[in-house]
Amino acid sequence: MRFVRGLISLVLWVVAIPLLLVAVARALPFDNVAPLPQLVAFTPWAPLVVLPLLIVALFSRRWVLTVLLGVSFAGFLYWTAPFFMPPETSDVANPADAGTVRVMTVNALYGQADADSVVSLVRSQNVEVLSVQELTPDFEQALTDAGLDELLAHSFTVPAEDSPGGSGLWSTTELTDVQQQHGSSFAMPSALVDVGGTAVRVTVVHPYPPMPDEITTWRTELVELTQRVHEDDAPQILAGDFNATYDHATFRDLLGSRFVDATREWGAGPAVTWPEGNRVPPLFALDHVVVERDMPVSDVVAMQVPGSDHRALVATVVVE
């Protein structure tokens, strides 16, 4: 009997330790040390495992484990609950209104995404601003052949051959004051877009991913982006593959008190976007539309794009 109890305790602790590490990683105010960026990404899923484990630990009277799991579960609820809390006014804004803009971001996976599907989404979703990451010259031409320029006539593109470093920005209205962030591994172009008479700076975001041996690069590029956007007084929208979830401290530092994550503000749950097209369903919300705190959002939805390992993310942003 003692052996069985000992075995049960061992199994419970073996399962619990990774979950407790995820909770610790999420609670820390930094994420620039491996494996924190990898651990913290599992925060939205951890409570689904913690709860049954907590019940077993409680009824088996393993008090230390019960307390640790209870505190962790409370933390996970606190961190994830806002994603399921719709705003007081959750009506869908009309993209046709002059003061709104329908924004879409998609990672094209080295230009392997299906261009016809991307253009079809732009058309069906009434997209007015499109952010594309991992843009290659061939994919840009494929978008043109599929009719993108007929829907979004203005563009600023920085394609890259045989590399994930290319990006592009398309709009229904003229792009002015085009800029390109220097020093980043991947192109992050931006431009002013007219939305109902308000000039809004839209930035295509794509920092280097937080691979275990490249965490410093990932964080440095996000920190530099943070400095750049917070120094700009113009109203802004950031759209792209941030290679970070809301649970990453570096991403929350980028938001600060000025910006908000559209998915979290809409309150329909995390819009998981990666990895797409595998046997494992998408688990992580790496793609975001980030807006000024005083810009209401609505109808935020992730949508499949054949050929890409990311889902596209679409959101309506009310500028004024």
Side-chain angles (χ1 to χ4, degrees), residues 265-280:
E265 291 300 298
W266 183 231
V272 291
T273 58
W274 183 88
E276 177 63 47
N278 298 311
R279 293 181 179 179
V280 178

Side-chain angles (χ1 to χ4, degrees), residues 19-36:
L19 299 170
L20 297 175
L21 290 176
V22 172
V24 171
R26 179 59 174 83
L28 292 174
F30 58 87
D31 54 14
N32 58 333
V33 180
L36 295 181

Side-chain angles (χ1 to χ4, degrees), residues 1-311:
M1 187 65 178
R2 181 178 298 177
F3 172 77
V4 173
R5 287 180 59 84
L7 182 61
I8 292 174
S9 292
L10 177 62
V11 171
L12 287 174
W13 277 102
V14 168
V15 177
I17 285 175
L19 299 170
L20 297 175
L21 290 176
V22 172
V24 171
R26 179 59 174 83
L28 292 174
F30 58 87
D31 54 14
N32 58 333
V33 180
L36 295 181
Q38 290 75 30
L39 285 172
V40 77
F42 288 94
T43 296
W45 303 105
L48 300 179
V49 184
V50 169
L51 181 57
L53 201 63
L54 173 60
I55 294 173
V56 173
L58 177 62
F59 281 95
S60 61
R61 299 182 180 181
R62 287 164 174 81
W63 305 122
V64 173
L65 185 58
T66 297
V67 170
L68 292 175
L69 289 173
V71 172
S72 298
F73 186 67
F76 288 133
L77 287 183
Y78 175 77
W79 295 321
T80 59
F83 281 95
F84 299 91
M85 300 173 61
E88 294 181 4
T89 302
S90 56
D91 295 335
V92 177
N94 186 355
D97 292 344
T100 67
V101 59
R102 186 73 165 157
V103 179
M104 174 172 145
T105 177
V106 61
N107 183 313
L109 183 60
Y110 289 80
Q112 297 179 51
D114 183 72
D116 289 328
S117 296
V118 172
V119 174
S120 178
L121 281 179
V122 169
R123 181 180 294 107
S124 65
Q125 292 296 312
N126 300 309
V127 172
E128 297 163 279
V129 172
L130 173 65
S131 165
V132 177
Q133 306 87 55
E134 303 199 16
L135 177 72
T136 63
D138 287 346
F139 188 67
E140 181 177 3
Q141 184 60 52
L143 290 173
T144 298
D145 294 342
L148 181 61
D149 295 346
E150 299 171 10
L151 301 172
L152 306 175
H154 306 274
S155 63
F156 172 38
T157 64
V158 188
E161 189 77 58
D162 299 324
S163 163
S167 295
L169 179 64
W170 281 261
S171 171
T172 56
T173 60
E174 183 181 1
L175 301 176
T176 60
D177 191 22
V178 295
Q179 298 179 9
Q180 158 68 348
Q181 176 166 318
H182 298 289
S184 59
S185 303
F186 305 150
M188 291 198 242
S190 72
L192 292 178
V193 175
D194 181 81
V195 182
T198 299
V200 178
R201 178 161 295 281
V202 180
T203 299
V204 180
V205 176
H206 193 203
Y208 203 85
M211 306 299 290
D213 57 345
E214 293 288 354
I215 291 176
T216 299
T217 302
W218 166 75
R219 186 175 186 280
T220 297
E221 294 188 0
L222 279 175
V223 168
E224 290 177 352
L225 176 66
T226 299
Q227 295 172 344
R228 171 186 170 187
V229 298
H230 280 271
E231 290 172 356
D232 193 336
D233 293 332
Q236 294 183 66
I237 296 173
L238 316 177
D241 173 8
F242 286 70
N243 274 312
T245 71
Y246 183 87
D247 294 300
H248 286 90
T250 302
F251 179 77
R252 297 195 306 277
D253 288 343
L254 184 149
L255 298 178
S257 60
R258 176 175 175 179
F259 299 105
V260 294
D261 179 23
T263 300
R264 191 169 186 263
E265 291 300 298
W266 183 231
V272 291
T273 58
W274 183 88
E276 177 63 47
N278 298 311
R279 293 181 179 179
V280 178
L283 296 173
F284 309 116
L286 302 185
D287 302 84
H288 304 269
V289 174
V290 169
V291 302
E292 302 276 357
R293 185 170 293 276
D294 61 355
M295 291 182 181
V297 298
S298 70
D299 198 18
V300 183
V301 60
M303 310 188 78
Q304 291 180 315
V305 176
S308 175
D309 61 342
H310 285 249
R311 289 182 177 178

